[in-house]
Amino acid sequence: MADPYTILGVAKTATEDEIRKAYKSLAKKNHPDLNPGDKDAEARFKDISAAHAFLSDKEKRRAFDAGEIDEHGQEKPQRRYYRDYADASGSERYYTSPEGGFEGFGGSGDFSDLFGDILRRRGAGTGTGAGTGGAQFRMRGGDAHYALPVDFLEAVNGAKKRVDMPDGKTLDISIPAGVEDGQTLRLKGQGMPGIGGGPAGDALITVSVLPHPVFRREGLDIRSVLPVTLGEALAGGSVPVETVTGTVNVKIPKNSNTGRVLRLRGKGVQGGAKGDHLVELQVMLPPEPDAALEEFVTAWERDHPYNPRQGG
């Protein structure tokens, strides 16, 4: 991933709302469902989602802006300068000889004290190191941070993914059903290697759930809009409806208006606690004007007047 600000086309001073709007606009334009077979659009979509997940994490954005991590979330090695030691205290502070020349650190002028202090701070143990008689210590590796775009249906239903990470590592990741946008998954021992035989750190995977052209998530529930004909709304009937777990037939009650919501229990977000699918009906007239229908409805309303805007 390149610079996340560049990918989303926003300035570093962009607000959270500006970043979110830029993401939604680009994600909609490059969504794979709207660009079938277009590998370039698919790649752009993944970059856009990863950039949004990265900048939505306040701490990660702060660290990136401060130059502490790169665009993959990896820590940058921090250079230490002369001034760092001048401002330090204790054994890390340098001192000068009476003639003004640089002598070393701490009070002894012996660099071994500096390393000894580091070992003590790191919780170092003592022992024999490969016959050298030197100090030996073990240290846990650092955590590695990654951003992972996940398809909407994978997030809702759960999935297993084999992913190539930016550092070249391949990870097998179990996406739990119901994972939310911005949620972080922890993979034990899949981070940076330890030092001196110490345990590896963890891989922290921040999930970015990609938008869906039909479904919208509200907590554990899924919402969608179902277009129905004038006849289906008046007389009722059974029509097929797409849900996150597949197609089901739904009974439309007679005399249903636009805005009526039907609840499909257990057809929402899957996982330990399942949500429902809320289907909002939208009555649609024919795509082209129909003189016979217009004449019939006009005559009917003349004999059966009513005002849909009156009362509540």
Side-chain angles (χ1 to χ4, degrees):
M1 184 179 71
D3 184 295
Y5 292 104
T6 302
I7 292 175
L8 295 181
V10 297
K12 285 191 173 183
T13 56
T15 64
E16 293 181 11
D17 188 54
E18 289 172 337
I19 289 174
R20 183 166 53 252
K21 287 181 179 179
Y23 162 68
K24 288 184 177 180
S25 175
L26 292 172
K28 183 177 181 180
K29 180 180 178 181
N30 293 278
H31 197 287
D33 290 347
L34 302 179
N35 299 274
D38 189 338
K39 296 298 182 182
D40 290 338
E42 182 178 353
R44 288 194 300 271
F45 185 69
K46 290 181 178 179
D47 285 344
I48 291 163
S49 300
H52 175 253
F54 190 97
L55 294 180
S56 296
D57 186 317
K58 292 183 179 179
E59 175 56 26
K60 192 174 291 185
R61 182 182 179 184
R62 182 207 63 76
F64 178 75
D65 291 345
E68 298 172 5
I69 61 174
D70 62 17
E71 63 273 14
H72 303 300
Q74 301 292 327
E75 292 185 3
K76 292 183 177 181
Q78 300 297 310
R79 295 180 60 187
R80 301 200 71 180
Y81 297 91
Y82 172 90
R83 188 66 193 170
D84 294 330
Y85 293 105
D87 292 336
S89 62
S91 61
E92 286 194 1
R93 183 179 176 88
Y94 73 86
Y95 75 95
T96 59
S97 68
E99 292 77 18
F102 174 74
E103 289 290 338
F105 299 85
S108 67
D110 186 351
F111 276 97
S112 64
D113 284 349
L114 170 64
F115 295 118
D117 183 63
I118 292 174
L119 294 178
R120 285 190 294 274
R121 294 186 183 189
R122 300 287 189 178
T126 58
T128 303
T132 64
Q136 189 179 54
F137 69 98
R138 299 170 72 249
M139 184 168 63
R140 179 184 182 275
D143 293 336
H145 297 264
Y146 303 99
L148 177 65
V150 176
D151 287 338
F152 186 93
L153 294 179
E154 291 177 331
V156 168
N157 296 316
K160 292 187 180 296
K161 297 175 71 70
R162 174 163 289 183
V163 181
D164 294 327
M165 294 302 179
D167 60 1
K169 180 183 293 186
T170 299
L171 296 180
D172 290 319
I173 303 175
S174 293
I175 307 298
V179 66
E180 297 185 29
D181 185 58
Q183 185 173 336
T184 298
L185 308 178
R186 181 182 293 271
L187 302 185
K188 293 286 188 181
Q190 296 297 328
M192 306 301 290
I195 297 175
D202 300 335
L204 303 179
I205 315 294
T206 300
V207 173
S208 175
V209 180
L210 307 179
H212 193 277
V214 175
F215 303 130
R216 186 175 79 254
R217 179 172 177 173
E218 293 182 354
L220 292 178
D221 294 336
I222 300 295
R223 297 190 71 102
S224 66
V225 175
L226 176 65
V228 294
T229 68
L230 185 60
E232 290 169 337
L234 287 170
S238 180
V239 299
V241 175
E242 290 296 327
T243 73
V244 296
T245 59
T247 304
V248 298
N249 288 322
V250 174
K251 185 177 181 180
I252 306 298
K254 289 185 177 182
N255 203 38
S256 291
N257 275 317
T258 290
R260 183 166 187 170
V261 176
L262 308 180
R263 182 180 295 270
L264 308 181
R265 298 197 178 278
K267 294 298 182 180
V269 176
Q270 303 300 294
K274 294 185 179 181
D276 301 333
H277 189 137
L278 306 178
V279 181
E280 181 179 342
L281 302 183
Q282 186 177 53
V283 181
M284 302 291 293
L285 293 175
E288 300 294 335
D290 187 283
L293 177 62
E294 180 180 350
E295 181 180 349
F296 171 79
V297 172
T298 300
W300 184 91
E301 286 190 351
R302 185 172 56 247
D303 297 333
H304 305 82
Y306 73 102
N307 185 355
R309 294 168 293 281
Q310 181 179 353

